[in-house]
Amino acid sequence: MSVIEVKHLTKRYGKHLAVDDLSFSVEEGEIYGFLGPNGAGKSTTMNILTGCLAATSGEATINGFDIFEEPKEAKKCIGYLPEIPPVYGSRTVREYLQFVAEAKKVPAENIESEIQRTMGLTGTKEYENRLIRHLSKGYRQRVGIAEALIGDPKVIILDEPTVGLDPQQIVEIRELIASLKGGHTVILSSHILSEVQSVCEKVIIIDHGRIVALDTPENLEKTFRQSTSIHAVLECEPERAREFVEAHFSGLPLKGIDVGTSESGSLLKFTLGDVDEKELARSLFFAAADERIAILSMETKRLSLEEVFLKLTGEKTAPAEMQQEKEFIPEEPEIPENGGEAR
Ligand code: ADP
């Protein structure tokens, strides 16, 4: 049985269709990535699955419980990290997790061990007596994940867990998420392809509230890789370049070869298809050397997330907010030891 089952889920805000007939299922112990640009409908879907928002139509079950008919039972199976975690800055980490454990109705005799377990998993123990508002953003995010883990729910839903973190924190949070694999069923959302690829077993790409791709990262990567191209400028006339291509590359399973002109010679564009990128670069180098044609430049062009979306959605312009990686804004330094103690 699938732990998460979503059928024809739809959400309208007035006339605006935020989630459009989504259907998917997640098996026990899997990590699913929800990938899409800002405004794609990721948070809306997650808010519906966690019982924070009503759907317009459709069905969703968590561990067999209908989120609309049996919301209490369904919610008990979920730990949720919303995009903006509601962690209270005026409490210490320990006080906050105690409060969360009580709210989640963890039996009193298990609360201490649950706090210890989740602080251990998220690496927050050394700051247990620090006020949350005095933690760095990375550590606040860890506290939010600890909150989601309290009570050991079967399903963990994380909305953009690494947004706004610095590169080191991103690596740490990704490792933390990967460590949940097997013990928990996880859905995480992101607008960053590489993030989803590195931790998820399946990727759901959504755009304008619709699923535009659902596959393993390996298969998606294969699709993207096939569209990778190598652009090389050769110091010769286009006519000679065409003969060169015909003599050396016509037998390869390339997806396409284009010969054009550039300021300093001919511009060759090879779209990889089933040819290995390094192999092609090597062949190009040696073939040009044999023919005594100078290669003036060579570069690899990979599809950006925007271009992948454009290909998948057939649109002409990418959503304005979409970026490969969001700009990193350094955060304020942590308060030195004792500076953040509660008492
Ligand atoms: P994502 O999480 O992928 O960035 P959201 O689920 O937040 O996307 O938003 C999906 C769409 O629904 C967007 O077009 C957004 O503007 C719209 N939307 C989200 N929340 C509301 C709301 N409360 N009222 C009206 N429109 C909303």
Side-chain angles (χ1 to χ4, degrees):
M1 185 193 71
S2 305
V3 175
I4 302 170
E5 193 89 55
V6 174
K7 285 187 192 154
H8 306 294
L9 200 66
T10 298
K11 174 72 185 177
R12 279 180 192 281
Y13 290 109
K15 280 188 178 163
H16 181 66
L17 200 50
V19 173
D20 184 4
D21 198 28
L22 282 197
S23 297
F24 62 91
S25 53
V26 184
E27 302 304 316
E28 179 146 18
E30 283 187 324
I31 303 187
Y32 256 61
F34 241 59
L35 184 70
N38 289 333
K42 305 183 295 293
S43 296
T44 304
T45 307
M46 291 186 156
N47 279 326
I48 295 173
L49 291 183
T50 50
C52 302
L53 188 69
T56 307
S57 60
E59 293 169 29
T61 58
I62 307 286
N63 206 23
F65 297 110
D66 189 310
I67 189 75
F68 309 118
E69 307 276 326
E70 307 154 287
K72 262 193 186 160
E73 288 79 0
K75 279 192 202 179
K76 268 192 201 154
C77 307
I78 302 172
Y80 183 31
L81 173 78
E83 196 171 1
I84 302 160
V87 279
Y88 300 112
S90 56
R91 294 182 194 228
T92 64
V93 172
R94 157 173 282 286
E95 284 168 347
Y96 182 65
L97 293 178
Q98 167 105 23
F99 161 77
V100 170
E102 286 165 7
K104 286 192 179 182
K105 304 216 169 12
V106 172
E109 66 274 21
N110 298 343
I111 287 184
E112 183 53 31
S113 62
E114 212 29 29
I115 293 173
Q116 292 301 333
R117 187 183 74 85
T118 54
M119 285 195 306
L121 277 172
T122 53
T124 49
K125 189 157 171 48
E126 60 180 309
Y127 297 122
E128 63 179 309
N129 293 319
R130 184 167 287 186
L131 287 178
I132 289 172
R133 71 162 173 266
H134 289 156
L135 292 177
S136 68
K137 186 155 193 314
Y139 270 88
R140 262 180 267 154
Q141 199 71 343
R142 285 168 189 257
V143 174
I145 296 177
E147 170 178 358
L149 291 171
I150 286 247
D152 206 13
K154 224 173 166 146
V155 174
I156 305 288
I157 296 187
L158 309 168
D159 197 353
E160 295 269 7
T162 61
V163 98
L165 303 186
D166 71 34
Q168 177 61 28
Q169 293 167 338
I170 288 177
V171 171
E172 289 169 6
I173 295 287
R174 282 180 191 168
E175 282 172 0
L176 169 58
I177 295 167
S179 74
L180 301 176
K181 193 180 154 187
H184 297 272
T185 304
V186 182
I187 296 188
L188 70 95
S189 74
S190 178
H191 62 284
I192 301 166
L193 183 66
S194 59
E195 168 156 309
V196 170
Q197 274 178 319
S198 65
V199 287
C200 301
E201 277 130 332
K202 287 260 178 71
V203 179
I204 301 177
I205 299 186
I206 69 166
D207 188 37
H208 291 110
R210 278 176 289 119
I211 294 180
V212 292
L214 199 172
D215 215 327
T216 60
E218 295 74 37
N219 283 344
L220 285 173
E221 208 186 38
K222 213 170 143 196
T223 313
F224 304 147
R225 207 172 36 220
Q226 290 218 331
S227 300
T228 299
S229 58
I230 291 183
H231 291 193
V233 175
L234 268 58
E235 197 180 35
C236 65
E237 294 300 315
E239 193 46 43
R240 173 115 199 261
R242 267 187 278 277
E243 286 166 15
F244 169 75
V245 163
E246 184 59 35
H248 296 275
F249 300 97
S250 58
L252 294 181
L254 286 158
K255 213 168 161 188
I257 308 176
D258 182 63
V259 180
T261 51
S262 88
E263 272 180 24
S264 41
S266 300
L267 174 62
L268 270 51
K269 293 179 184 174
F270 297 90
T271 308
L272 285 184
D274 288 324
V275 177
D276 181 71
E277 181 186 330
K278 231 171 154 182
E279 278 303 315
L280 180 65
R282 194 179 285 125
S283 308
L284 193 55
F285 176 84
F286 287 118
D290 275 353
E291 302 260 352
R292 300 214 41 85
I293 302 175
I295 297 178
L296 301 176
S297 72
M298 194 175 345
E299 63 175 323
T300 303
K301 304 255 185 197
R302 288 173 217 288
L303 282 189
S304 67
L305 182 55
E306 282 99 320
E307 288 160 333
V308 169
F309 266 89
L310 295 183
K311 278 193 177 289
L312 289 170
T313 58
E315 288 188 21
K316 291 203 167 49
T317 53
E321 309 89 335
M322 208 160 81
Q323 304 157 4
Q324 267 292 55
E325 297 268 354
K326 276 204 172 153
E327 186 188 355
F328 166 60
I329 301 157
E331 58 184 83
E332 73 282 4
E334 281 192 19
I335 302 284
E337 275 309 313
N338 302 322
E341 296 295 327
R343 288 177 264 273

